[in-house]
Amino acid sequence: MPTTAPAALPPAPHTWPWPPLLRGSAWLHAAAAGSTLWAPETGLWALGGLAANHALLTAAGLWPRSSVLGPNVTRLPAAAGPSVALTFDDGPDPHTTPAVLRWLDDAGVRATFFCIAERARTQAALLREIVAAGHSVQNHSLRHRHDFSLLGPKALERDIAAAQDLLGELTGVRPHCFRAPAGLRSPLLDPVLHRLGLHLVSWTRRGFDTRDHDPARVLARLARRLGAGDILLLHDGHARRGAAGRPVLLDVLPALLQRCRDAGLRPATLTEALPPRHAAA
């Protein structure tokens, strides 16, 4: 059966809740400008402070699991119980995704697919298979641009909103979660997600299955201290292939599913586990 759509989103609160770091950055910029105007001799100190502040903001954007630029879901809420979330990025892929769906169906579990919307448009039938099997489709941007984290606010909103519209049209279910390409973002992203009612979702741990061809190493990263609430990142798109040309993911997934069973953990979709972003607003 298709994945049940989240309840209709309440309107976003009028005021975006500024994270403390960004509120402090705004005050620092105002103070630096005032200081330079009233005491020009402090200009170099003000410039140094601003440079340090921008370096901190850049580092936060390069740290995918950071929450200092805004809310960032790295684990399932406690209400999800003994569950984990298997998430697959960068698909759907016509070669890898069908094999992933077969493994998931054989195991009787459901997962979340963060899809690139334009890739989904070219694989519309496959996308419908994902939804028909009970999996959740979420937003991984329109094109997965390499410069995504450098876009301005209007360009960010155009990209994410267009992906929302396209994925909603193709599946009949509008996403309520977003994952940034490569996990990289700027301070401009969360205000856009706030307006669109989208959770930013990263992960608890990742296997680096787009880089490492060794299934044992990929599995070890994903299964290390595996526990309730974990969000695990894998890739059905851009998957690294081993010497035989087989995506390493397909050798990792059955063993990972067994580790979940052994630990008494139930894979759940983000649609099941996460309420809409503004549900409690």
Side-chain angles (χ1 to χ4, degrees):
M1 294 179 62
T3 303
T4 302
L9 293 178
H14 292 300
T15 303
W16 173 62
W18 283 65
L21 175 62
L22 298 187
R23 188 181 297 275
S25 296
W27 280 108
L28 176 63
H29 280 71
S35 172
T36 302
L37 285 173
W38 289 102
E41 66 275 11
T42 66
L44 287 178
W45 288 101
L47 183 62
L50 293 180
N53 176 251
H54 281 264
L56 178 60
L57 293 175
T58 299
L62 294 174
W63 179 19
R65 301 182 67 245
S66 166
S67 60
V68 297
L69 299 181
N72 187 6
V73 180
T74 62
R75 300 186 61 80
L76 300 181
S83 298
V84 295
L86 304 178
T87 67
F88 298 89
D89 281 15
D90 296 359
D93 179 271
H95 304 292
T96 306
T97 306
V100 171
L101 292 176
R102 287 193 293 272
W103 275 113
L104 295 175
D105 185 61
D106 288 346
V109 302
R110 303 293 175 260
T112 299
F113 290 79
F114 280 93
C115 294
I116 301 171
E118 287 201 340
R119 176 172 281 198
R121 176 162 47 193
T122 67
Q123 300 294 329
L126 181 52
L127 192 73
R128 288 191 287 271
E129 286 184 35
I130 293 172
V131 176
H135 305 295
S136 175
V137 169
Q138 300 298 335
N139 189 333
H140 197 36
S141 81
L142 184 64
R143 300 186 181 91
H144 204 277
R145 295 174 53 154
H146 295 299
D147 62 348
F148 180 85
S149 63
L150 303 178
L151 297 178
K154 291 184 178 179
L156 283 171
E157 187 151 3
R158 282 195 301 268
D159 184 290
I160 298 169
Q164 282 288 96
D165 291 343
L166 183 53
L167 292 171
E169 177 185 345
L170 292 171
T171 67
V173 181
R174 289 180 68 82
H176 76 307
C177 297
F178 176 79
R179 180 171 284 160
L184 306 180
R185 63 200 190 281
S186 76
L188 304 175
L189 178 60
D190 191 60
V192 172
L193 299 182
H194 175 79
R195 287 194 295 274
L196 295 176
L198 289 167
H199 291 287
L200 176 67
V201 177
S202 57
W203 51 83
T204 309
R205 61 182 58 84
R206 62 192 304 184
F208 291 98
D209 53 341
T210 60
R211 305 180 193 175
D212 197 335
H213 67 276
D214 185 337
R217 287 197 297 260
V218 173
L219 176 63
R221 295 186 188 105
L222 291 166
R224 180 171 52 89
R225 297 194 299 273
L226 183 66
D230 286 355
I231 300 174
L232 305 179
L233 169 60
L234 304 101
H235 292 79
D236 57 327
H238 302 136
R240 178 67 186 268
R241 296 177 180 269
R246 175 181 169 86
V248 66
L249 166 66
L250 300 183
D251 292 321
V252 171
L253 185 56
L256 181 61
L257 291 171
Q258 185 61 53
R259 295 286 184 94
C260 291
R261 287 191 291 269
D262 293 343
L265 299 171
R266 179 184 71 90
T269 69
L270 293 179
T271 300
E272 296 173 297
L274 283 180
R277 176 166 177 170
H278 300 310

